[in-house]
Amino acid sequence: MSSTAGQVIRCKAAVAWEAAKPLVIEEVEVAPPQAMEVRLKILFTSLCHTDVYFWEAKGQTPLFPRIFGHEAGGIVESVGEGVTDLKPGDHVLPVFTGECKECRHCKSEESNMCDLLRINTDRGVMLNDGKSRFSIKGQPIYHFVGTSTFSEYTVVHVGCVAKINPAAPLDKVCVLSCGISTGLGATLNVAKPKKGSSVAIFGLGAVGLAAAEGARIAGASRIIGVDLNPNRFNEAKRFGVTEFVNPKDCNKPVQEVIAEMTNGGVDRSVECTGSVNAMISAFECVHDGWGVAVLVGVPNKDDSFKTHPMNLLNERTLKGTFFGNYKPRSDLPSVVEKYMNKELELEKFITHEVPFSEINKAFEYMLSGAGLRCIIRMDA
C-alpha cells in the first residue's frame, strides 16, 4: 500500500461554492476510502457539458459547496476493505456511472444500467455511509456523480473505476470517461451501421462528433451532419462527416430534406442534442424497412416525443442509449485499446489545455463554444 494509505490527505481542489460562480482553488481534506471504495490521485481531468449544466444549477436543486468533474485519468493511491481487483499504482478512469457486477442489469448482456451505481446527480455523498469524503476545516464538501475529479485526490466507489492499460496516455484517454464514449458507443454498439451505409448525426458537439467518429470507424460511406451552427461544419469534416444540413436553411422539415438526399432516408441516425424536434427528425429521417434511429441527447423533463405510429409499423426502429451501452469496468479498457491501436483518434477532440490553477478558463472555452475538450493538468 502507499505511504498515505489510511491517512487523511490534504490537497488542492477546485470548489464551487455557489452556482455559476468561478471555482476557487482550496486546500481540502480527503478521507481514506471505506469498504468498496478507492482513493485516486487524479493526474488529468477534462470539463464536460454536464459539469457546466449542474454548476449553473439549471433545472435542479443546487447542491453547494461542491467539487465537480467526471472525465479524468489517474492512478490508485489506496483501496478500502473488500476491493480485490484494484491495487495502488493501477492506471484507471473514474466513470460517472458504475458496474457492480451483481445486479440484474450488470449480469445482462443487453444492459449497462447498474441498479446500484447508476448516475445520481443529487446524492452528493458516498453510498457506504451517506457522508462526504471531502471537507474544509470540518465543513463537508459535496461530491458530484460519485467522481469529483476537480481535486488532486478523490474517493470513488470501486464499481465506478475502470482499470486500463498503463501504457495509455492519461492526458488523452481521460476524455473517454463520459461524452466521447457515449457518442462512439451510440453508433458502434447501438446503431451498428454496416460498411458502406449512410448515417445522419444530429448535433455536432463533442458527443455528436464522437458518434460521427463511430460511423467513420464502422465504414459508413455517407455521414450527414445536422446542426444549427454552420461554424461547426469544417471541423466536423475531420471526423468523417461528408455532407451537412442546417435546419435554418431548409424550407421543409429536415427529415424530408434528408429523405430526398438519400433516396428514401438514411440507414442509421444518431441524435445528440436533447431537442425533441431533433429527436423526431432523427427518427423520421431513417429509411423504412430497416432504418434505426438512436437517441442520445437528454430532453427537458416535461418534453414528450410524438410521431405517427405508421413510422414504427413501417419497420423503422427507435432506440435509446446510456453511456453508449458500455459497461464501465468491462468495456472501457477495450475502448482505450481502440485508441492504442490507432483505430480511434482522440487528439482531434482535445482543443485546449490549461493548468489546474487556471481551471476557470476551461469553463470560458466551453461557454463560448471555442472548443470541444479542454484538458486540465493537475500537476501544473
Side-chain angles (χ1 to χ4, degrees), residues 232-245:
R232 291 177 167 177
F233 292 170
N234 278 336
E235 183 174 50
K237 293 177 182 178
R238 299 171 57 215
F239 296 83
V241 182
T242 58
E243 302 159 70
F244 300 92
V245 175

Side-chain angles (χ1 to χ4, degrees), residues 87-286:
K87 65 183 185 304
D90 284 344
H91 286 221
V92 296
L93 301 181
V95 185
F96 67 92
T97 184
E99 181 185 356
C100 72
K101 297 192 176 183
E102 298 296 332
C103 70
R104 291 183 65 190
H105 282 278
C106 286
K107 291 182 177 180
S108 168
E109 295 181 357
E110 301 180 23
S111 175
N112 68 336
M113 302 187 72
C114 177
D115 285 330
L116 178 66
L117 300 169
R118 194 176 304 185
I119 183 173
N120 185 324
T121 59
D122 298 324
R123 187 165 55 232
V125 293
M126 299 299 290
L127 284 172
N128 189 288
D129 59 358
K131 296 181 181 179
S132 175
R133 302 290 175 263
F134 297 108
S135 63
I136 297 178
K137 297 179 181 178
Q139 177 185 4
I141 308 296
Y142 289 112
H143 293 250
F144 179 64
V145 296
T147 51
S148 294
T149 62
F150 293 168
S151 175
E152 292 177 320
Y153 287 86
T154 188
V155 178
V156 182
H157 191 285
V158 65
C160 296
V161 180
K163 180 180 177 180
I164 64 168
N165 184 342
L170 291 173
D171 61 334
K172 303 296 188 300
V173 298
C174 65
V175 299
L176 292 173
S177 291
C178 184
I180 309 307
S181 293
T182 296
L184 184 75
T187 302
L188 294 179
N189 298 337
V190 187
K192 298 179 180 179
K194 297 178 181 179
K195 187 174 182 179
S197 62
S198 58
V199 181
I201 308 293
F202 285 74
L204 298 176
V207 176
L209 293 176
E213 181 78 352
R216 180 193 67 79
I217 292 172
S221 61
R222 298 181 70 180
I223 304 175
I224 302 171
V226 182
D227 202 289
L228 295 170
N229 184 358
N231 293 329
R232 291 177 167 177
F233 292 170
N234 278 336
E235 183 174 50
K237 293 177 182 178
R238 299 171 57 215
F239 296 83
V241 182
T242 58
E243 302 159 70
F244 300 92
V245 175
N246 185 341
K248 292 180 180 178
D249 299 334
C250 302
N251 56 13
K252 62 181 67 175
V254 173
Q255 53 267 46
E256 294 182 16
V257 173
I258 293 176
E260 291 177 0
M261 293 171 60
T262 56
N263 191 27
V266 289
D267 301 306
R268 302 289 188 266
S269 70
V270 184
E271 185 284 322
C272 303
T273 71
S275 162
V276 167
N277 289 333
M279 293 178 180
I280 294 169
S281 296
F283 176 53
E284 295 183 354
C285 81
V286 299

Side-chain angles (χ1 to χ4, degrees), residues 32-43:
Q34 295 191 12
M36 303 308 292
E37 295 175 357
V38 182
R39 188 160 60 184
L40 308 178
K41 181 178 183 179
I42 300 300
L43 300 179

